[in-house]
Amino acid sequence: MARYARICEIEYELPAQVLDNQTLAQDFPEWDVEKIFQKTGINKRHIVAEGETASDLAFRACEKLFANSAISRDQIDCLIYCTQSPDYLLPATACILQHRLQLSQHCAAFDFNQGCSGFIYGLGLAKGFIESGQCKNVLLITAETYSRYINPKDKSVRTLFGDAAAATLIRASDEQAPCLDRFRYGSDGAGAQNLIVPMGAARQPLVAGQRPAEHEDESGNIRSDADLYMNGPAIFEFSMTRVPALFASLFDEQFSVEDSDLFVFHQANQFMLEALRRRLKLAPEKFITEFRHCGNTVSCSIPIALKEALGKGQVQPGKVITAVGFGVGYSWGGCVIRW
């Protein structure tokens, strides 16, 4: 009997601390509340408190999942943790979460460093583990705290990114056809410098007790080389080029755009998503957008959007969803989810 991987549950967690447009407008008087919303489509972002980490959010998202699903902790045989905000350089945060969540010691646990396409990559990994017979129940966790890397005087990124974690349960199922299908991936490291924290790792280590000098760009944003830098125009050009090509590769004579009931893309910002929707000629009612309340949450954005769409009744059993992630790396990935 065939065994296919299937998404069974999604839960997510946002930090309690809120950064709203009113606060940002006070910090950046040249941008009022309405201008910030028009540029981003975001009303507020959630930001971790002092001492709070991505794995703290991940833990709480998983606790929600266990509380709201029928699966027991000892049934999880693989924990996949997608983050660019690890607790430590080593060990892997996944191992720490395995212990903290009281999962079985027979549970595989590992991190992978991926950003905006991370959820798609994680689904592909989970599918591989399950459909090869290595695992039956995979807990895919995505968690990010980009706020730790953002200079508070850099409105180009501070207005966009929020912190979050999402926990997705993927289980083996005796379905008649794949529920996670048509995976496509791509990468182009030539664009690595366009979304990057230049200093802090092995290539450019930070010297203890020394903070790199801040500098101001032509738009008035202030940051240092230890802060997140985003080349907005380059990221937009990348997205307008790579995403349509990736999207087209998901379809053929056996599966057309019309066969997909819904489309969920990485929730980057309103301007980019609307440009992509128009470029791809997708109907607004089929195009999921759920980021006004949390901002761009990187690898968490697609599962958060799916969870919100589930709550609104947009995602129901039998629905076919085309999912696309893209961004930092450059990296991109897409797949089809049969709910």
Side-chain angles (χ1 to χ4, degrees):
M1 184 178 291
R3 180 164 75 173
Y4 293 114
R6 177 189 191 99
I7 296 176
C8 292
E9 302 282 347
I10 300 175
E11 296 290 348
Y12 72 86
E13 176 74 8
L14 303 175
Q17 184 172 260
V18 171
L19 176 62
D20 58 23
N21 290 352
Q22 288 74 16
T23 301
L24 287 170
Q26 292 173 3
D27 292 345
F28 306 113
E30 67 277 19
W31 281 20
D32 61 26
V33 170
E34 186 57 30
K35 184 174 182 179
I36 294 170
F37 181 76
Q38 287 177 352
K39 282 182 170 289
T40 64
I42 300 165
N43 286 320
K44 61 181 180 179
R45 311 120 199 94
H46 292 253
I47 306 300
V48 286
E50 187 70 29
E52 191 175 30
T53 70
S55 75
D56 294 329
L57 303 179
F59 173 79
R60 297 200 295 268
C62 291
E63 288 294 290
K64 285 183 183 178
L65 188 144
F66 286 122
N68 296 327
S69 68
I71 195 167
S72 63
R73 296 169 194 265
D74 61 3
Q75 289 178 281
I76 301 296
D77 45 18
C78 184
L79 187 160
I80 302 174
Y81 186 56
C82 173
T83 191
Q84 296 182 316
S85 310
D87 282 13
Y88 306 100
L89 288 176
L90 57 94
T93 309
C95 295
I96 295 169
L97 281 167
Q98 173 274 329
H99 176 70
R100 192 174 175 187
L101 289 165
Q102 300 178 27
L103 304 184
S104 165
Q105 291 185 7
H106 298 290
C107 174
F110 65 94
D111 295 4
F112 74 102
N113 178 324
Q114 195 68 287
C116 312
S117 62
F119 184 68
I120 305 297
Y121 276 65
L123 289 180
L125 287 166
K127 175 183 171 73
F129 274 108
I130 289 171
E131 296 184 8
S132 64
Q134 298 179 72
C135 299
K136 293 182 179 179
N137 302 297
V138 176
L139 183 58
L140 170 62
I141 308 171
T142 56
E144 289 298 351
T145 53
Y146 266 31
S147 67
R148 296 288 190 215
Y149 310 136
I150 292 174
N151 191 305
K153 293 173 280 188
D154 186 352
K155 64 177 176 287
S156 68
V157 287
R158 193 173 174 218
T159 54
L160 292 176
F161 292 102
D163 301 333
T168 303
L169 176 63
I170 303 106
R171 305 192 70 176
S173 176
D174 295 328
E175 298 290 331
Q176 299 302 308
C179 302
L180 299 173
D181 200 14
R182 292 180 168 263
F183 282 85
R184 308 287 187 269
Y185 307 101
S187 59
D188 181 6
Q193 299 299 315
N194 290 323
L195 188 50
I196 190 172
V197 179
M199 294 187 70
R203 182 65 63 187
Q204 295 186 60
L206 286 169
V207 178
Q210 294 185 18
R211 175 73 181 175
E214 291 183 339
H215 49 85
E216 185 173 350
D217 66 18
E218 63 277 5
S219 299
N221 299 303
I222 297 172
R223 70 182 75 87
S224 77
D225 284 347
D227 299 320
L228 179 68
Y229 164 71
M230 182 177 72
N231 181 337
I235 296 294
F236 183 80
E237 182 180 359
F238 148 74
S239 302
M240 291 301 109
T241 302
R242 294 296 187 182
V243 174
L246 167 66
F247 186 79
S249 74
L250 291 165
F251 304 99
D252 53 29
E253 294 81 5
Q254 285 74 45
F255 182 74
S256 69
V257 174
E258 290 72 26
D259 292 325
S260 186
D261 299 303
L262 295 166
F263 304 91
V264 58
F265 286 24
H266 164 54
Q267 307 285 288
N269 60 71
Q270 183 65 41
F271 180 75
M272 185 176 291
L273 284 175
E274 184 60 16
L276 284 169
R277 187 192 68 77
R278 291 179 181 275
R279 174 76 62 88
L280 298 172
K281 300 180 180 178
L282 301 176
E285 62 272 17
K286 289 189 171 186
F287 197 73
I288 298 174
T289 54
E290 293 288 350
F291 55 87
R292 290 188 178 195
H293 70 296
C294 60
N296 180 339
T297 55
V298 199
S299 58
C300 306
S301 77
I302 294 177
I304 287 175
L306 287 172
K307 178 64 176 180
E308 288 293 304
L310 274 165
K312 294 178 179 179
Q314 291 174 277
V315 175
Q316 298 175 347
K319 291 289 186 181
V320 178
I321 305 157
T322 299
V324 174
F326 55 93
V328 59
Y330 295 140
S331 172
W332 55 96
C335 70
V336 173
I337 303 169
R338 293 178 173 86
W339 207 261

